[in-house]
Amino acid sequence: MDFAAQVAVLVTPGAWAYHEALPEEQQVDLEAAAAVLGSDPRLVAAYLLDVVAAHARSQAASAPAALKRVRVEGEIEIERFAPGSSLAADADAWAALAGGLRAGVAAEKRRAARAMSRSVPVEVAW
């Protein structure tokens, strides 16, 4: 599986589709990100998730309130909701996934460091 495909799988289809719908200048350059962050696709995926989460939060915050329902039963009931609320929820989920990917990489590095620093009993005679 090539690097871009690995990243696409790690970020989930929703985040990948959101990223692909961004204007090209706002999309993550996967090769450049790998050159800076390292060749681990989890770190590049976490960065991409941060980018799409930030963009989604921005879009959710700037979205105007919309009309949800109007009912006439002797009175008029109007409910308003923020249409960006589902987008904000997606952003939160993507940010949490990014944190999980980074935590996995960090835990793996800690395990590798511990494996390299094992002590060996040594007998010393005087």
Side-chain angles (χ1 to χ4, degrees), residues 3-115:
F3 191 79
Q6 290 177 22
V7 171
V9 168
L10 289 168
V11 301
T12 72
W16 185 256
Y18 189 90
H19 175 259
E20 291 294 299
L22 291 174
E24 189 173 336
E25 65 275 1
Q26 294 179 352
Q27 292 181 7
V28 172
D29 180 343
L30 298 179
E31 290 180 21
V36 172
L37 300 169
S39 61
D40 191 323
R42 294 173 295 178
L43 294 176
V44 175
Y47 174 65
L48 186 144
L49 286 163
D50 287 340
V51 168
V52 296
H55 190 275
R57 280 193 185 103
S58 171
Q59 292 299 313
S62 65
L67 182 64
K68 181 178 183 184
R69 177 179 27 186
V70 176
R71 256 192 309 192
V72 179
E73 293 178 8
E75 294 183 24
I76 298 175
E77 180 182 321
I78 301 173
E79 295 181 25
R80 298 195 180 275
F81 73 104
S85 61
S86 66
L87 198 52
D90 286 341
D92 291 343
W94 296 335
L97 179 56
L101 289 170
R102 285 191 186 94
V105 171
E108 195 173 284
K109 287 182 180 181
R110 283 191 301 273
R111 280 192 300 274
R114 273 186 262 149

